[in-house]
Amino acid sequence: EDQVTQSPEALRLQEGESSSLNCSYTVSGLRGLFWYRQDPGKGPEFLFTLYSAGEEKEKERLKATLTKKESFLHITAPKPEDSATYLCAVGESGGYQKVTFGTGTKLQVIP
Amino acid sequence: GAVVSQHPSWVICKSGTSVKIECRSLDFQATTMFWYRQFPKQSLMLMATSNEGSKATYEQGVEKDKFLINHASLTLSTLTVTSAHPEDSSFYICSAISRLAGDYEQYFGPGTRLTVT
């Protein structure tokens, strides 16, 4: 059974203070690892898909990296508007498209 | 691109009544749609996978007779909560996968807050 563990559960940063969120996963064959951002009372917003170890993707202040066991979401010089819950999900290879979500990291960026 | 809408955004109903939630892909055709529920401060729990023109596949522990899913077209899936009870109160979110080759990302709707009184 696929497992996804995110850490820390919550993170409080000062504006401009860079940090990383972790997503550890166990899957028999990785189809893709997905990062989403979720604001309170809203549906998740797609950020990145990573397919293989060593892959990196960037979007504004966010950079996602992938190894065979974990993924990191690096946040560089965060702003208050980056405050949200960041969710990680993995999809297993084999043609079935469902994914397994982690419990998320709630990020708060203080001005 | 890849916009998914849900209707209604929130609904309050009395115990014993049924509620229908619609999920639409607005600018793409969705071969597969998913229905999730999310409790406060918890992650998304997959309820069922819906493929256009076929019966939904439910996750273990989800009552298929209580949560009726219909995926009648490539742009619309509906979730009907039948004989709702207060414990069904939750945030229901749908997602859709584009039909484009190699596109595995799920695009989520804004969610529907259901309160059963």
Side-chain angles (χ1 to χ4, degrees):
Chain A
E1 184 178 324
D2 300 347
Q3 289 190 330
V4 182
T5 304
Q6 290 188 247
S7 62
E9 288 187 11
L11 181 62
R12 195 174 183 188
L13 299 173
Q14 291 289 330
E15 183 172 2
E17 180 186 1
S18 301
S19 188
S20 296
L21 313 182
N22 177 265
C23 172
S24 298
Y25 65 92
T26 303
V27 65
S28 57
L30 182 68
R31 170 170 58 80
L33 184 140
F34 309 89
W35 281 99
Y36 290 87
R37 168 195 170 124
Q38 186 176 25
D39 293 298
K42 297 187 178 180
E45 173 190 347
F46 171 75
L47 295 175
F48 304 109
T49 306
L50 301 168
Y51 294 104
S52 58
E55 189 174 359
E56 298 182 353
K57 288 192 177 174
E58 289 188 64
K59 180 180 180 180
E60 296 180 355
R61 295 177 292 282
L62 301 176
K63 178 180 177 181
T65 62
L66 181 67
T67 71
K68 288 185 178 180
K69 294 184 178 180
E70 58 191 353
S71 176
F72 292 94
L73 184 65
H74 307 277
I75 303 177
T76 303
K79 298 182 178 181
E81 52 263 40
D82 295 323
S83 297
T85 295
Y86 291 85
L87 297 168
C88 169
V90 295
E92 185 174 336
S93 60
Y96 191 41
Q97 293 171 311
K98 76 172 184 177
V99 299
T100 301
F101 277 88
T103 52
T105 294
K106 185 174 182 179
L107 173 67
Q108 183 183 14
V109 182
I110 304 165
Chain B
V3 178
V4 178
S5 71
Q6 275 184 249
H7 178 80
S9 56
W10 60 270
V11 57
I12 301 173
C13 71
K14 292 187 176 180
S15 187
T17 62
S18 295
V19 174
K20 180 185 283 188
I21 303 170
E22 291 186 350
C23 176
R24 293 181 184 271
S25 56
L26 298 185
D27 53 359
F28 66 99
Q29 292 184 325
T31 50
T32 303
M33 288 183 168
F34 300 88
W35 286 96
Y36 295 84
R37 68 187 293 183
Q38 187 175 33
F39 293 103
K41 300 184 180 180
Q42 294 188 24
S43 192
L44 285 80
M45 291 179 50
L46 180 65
M47 298 175 65
T49 302
S50 167
N51 290 295
E52 184 263 338
S54 62
K55 291 184 178 180
T57 302
Y58 291 81
E59 295 299 299
Q60 191 172 8
V62 178
E63 299 176 60
K64 59 181 67 177
D65 293 332
K66 181 170 186 61
F67 299 99
L68 302 179
I69 292 172
N70 183 275
H71 193 159
S73 75
L74 284 171
T75 59
L76 173 65
S77 177
T78 60
L79 167 67
T80 301
V81 183
T82 62
S83 187
H85 292 284
E87 56 265 33
D88 298 324
S89 298
S90 189
F91 191 52
Y92 292 87
I93 313 175
C94 71
S95 70
I97 290 182
S98 169
R99 196 171 199 176
L100 297 176
D103 188 347
Y104 294 117
E105 292 90 8
Q106 293 186 30
Y107 296 93
F108 285 84
T112 297
R113 173 75 59 192
L114 170 63
T115 302
V116 184
T117 60

